[in-house]
Amino acid sequence: MEAYQAITGRRSVRRFSRIPVARPLLQKLLYGACLAPAPHHTRPWRFVLLETAEARQRLAEAMGAAWRRDLEADGVAPERIAALLTRSQRQTEEAPALVLACLVAEGLPARPEGGRRWPDERRQRAEWGMAVQSMGCALENILVAAHAEGLAGFWISAPLFCPEAVREALDLPPEYQAQALITLGYPAPDVSPRPRREPDLAKLLTAR
Ligand SMILES: Cc1cc2nc3c(=O)[nH]c(=O)nc-3n(C[C@H](O)[C@H](O)[C@H](O)COP(=O)(O)O)c2cc1C
């Protein structure tokens, strides 16, 4: 598939057929992720394939507990909390393939693996920002390449809000900073994403 066609055709899909995603195909997509541009020729990413039902359940429960705490503190109604958590837990447990994406970093503000150590917080935050940007590039590579392979998926940002809970649930090293989950699978036959809003270039683009 031609690159621009893959970019424009990719959509977030949240319902999948039961067809499993072959391991070599997943590895091909992750290889593509690792070719993403990143500052200083680094690769400050780690990808964790969540293959066992047990690991997924532990993750879903840990993220659910963290989210419940936030929602309760926000005063959200118990029935609404229950509905949100059920849907989110199902997404984590039932995705045909599930990849957790982490940045590896030390300290606060964080120095990403291979990144620079700056004498001031302003530049250290910018260094961290570059790593986060590169993570976005890597994950978009996965989503676009997945579309070209007839797969689809979507991005789940829940891990970003509870990195400690994720680390603990999956027994990950302390330097792993969870950023996102990517679900992947073959779209359910009746899935048809709503048409996109056309980007308003008059608003989004300025020239000087
Ligand atoms: C950083 C980021 C976080 C996202 N988080 C979520 C999420 O937690 N749950 C979800 O269902 N979709 C999530 N999405 C997917 C967006 O909702 C989706 O990309 C957007 O609605 C545009 O639709 P499209 O991907 O079909 O073009 C996220 C996307 C990005 C880039």
Side-chain angles (χ1 to χ4, degrees), residues 81-110:
I81 294 180
L84 288 169
L85 293 186
T86 302
R87 192 185 60 176
S88 136
Q89 185 145 354
R90 206 173 285 150
Q91 286 176 338
T92 306
E93 291 183 359
E94 295 178 2
L98 190 64
V99 180
L100 173 71
C102 302
L103 284 169
V104 275
E106 60 175 41
L108 271 177

Side-chain angles (χ1 to χ4, degrees), residues 140-194:
E140 175 69 344
N141 273 7
I142 295 181
L143 293 171
V144 171
H147 175 66
E149 296 282 355
L151 292 161
F154 71 105
W155 184 311
I156 299 176
S157 43
L160 186 62
F161 292 85
C162 54
E164 294 85 10
V166 171
R167 200 182 298 126
E168 204 173 300
L170 299 175
D171 195 20
L172 298 173
E175 64 275 18
Y176 277 42
Q177 311 273 353
Q179 299 292 303
L181 282 166
I182 299 292
T183 66
L184 292 166
Y186 293 93
D190 58 336
V191 162
S192 61
R194 259 183 284 155

Side-chain angles (χ1 to χ4, degrees), residues 17-182:
S17 82
R18 291 192 173 275
I19 304 168
V21 184
R23 187 58 132 74
L25 181 49
L26 273 178
Q27 270 168 333
K28 182 176 174 186
L29 298 178
L30 289 166
Y31 180 81
C34 297
L35 301 184
H40 322 299
H41 307 279
T42 61
R43 291 191 174 126
W45 325 299
R46 297 293 183 275
F47 301 99
V48 184
L49 268 180
L50 293 159
E51 292 187 317
T52 68
E54 193 220 340
R56 286 177 180 217
Q57 194 185 343
R58 271 191 282 125
L59 176 64
E61 282 173 4
M63 291 194 311
W67 198 15
R68 174 184 292 282
R69 280 194 295 277
D70 284 343
L71 291 168
E72 285 175 350
D74 293 343
V76 176
E79 318 79 66
R80 176 78 183 134
I81 294 180
L84 288 169
L85 293 186
T86 302
R87 192 185 60 176
S88 136
Q89 185 145 354
R90 206 173 285 150
Q91 286 176 338
T92 306
E93 291 183 359
E94 295 178 2
L98 190 64
V99 180
L100 173 71
C102 302
L103 284 169
V104 275
E106 60 175 41
L108 271 177
R111 183 175 76 89
E113 182 184 72
R116 285 188 63 170
R117 158 96 46 229
W118 293 95
D120 57 275
E121 188 170 329
R122 176 180 58 86
R123 283 179 287 177
Q124 202 62 56
R125 283 197 189 284
E127 190 73 30
W128 175 249
M130 290 197 295
V132 173
Q133 289 168 348
S134 78
M135 178 102 263
C137 296
L139 298 188
E140 175 69 344
N141 273 7
I142 295 181
L143 293 171
V144 171
H147 175 66
E149 296 282 355
L151 292 161
F154 71 105
W155 184 311
I156 299 176
S157 43
L160 186 62
F161 292 85
C162 54
E164 294 85 10
V166 171
R167 200 182 298 126
E168 204 173 300
L170 299 175
D171 195 20
L172 298 173
E175 64 275 18
Y176 277 42
Q177 311 273 353
Q179 299 292 303
L181 282 166
I182 299 292

Side-chain angles (χ1 to χ4, degrees), residues 4 196-205:
Y4 195 70
R196 282 194 171 104
R197 261 184 321 126
E198 273 301 304
D200 178 1
L201 282 190
K203 173 181 160 191
L204 302 180
L205 179 67

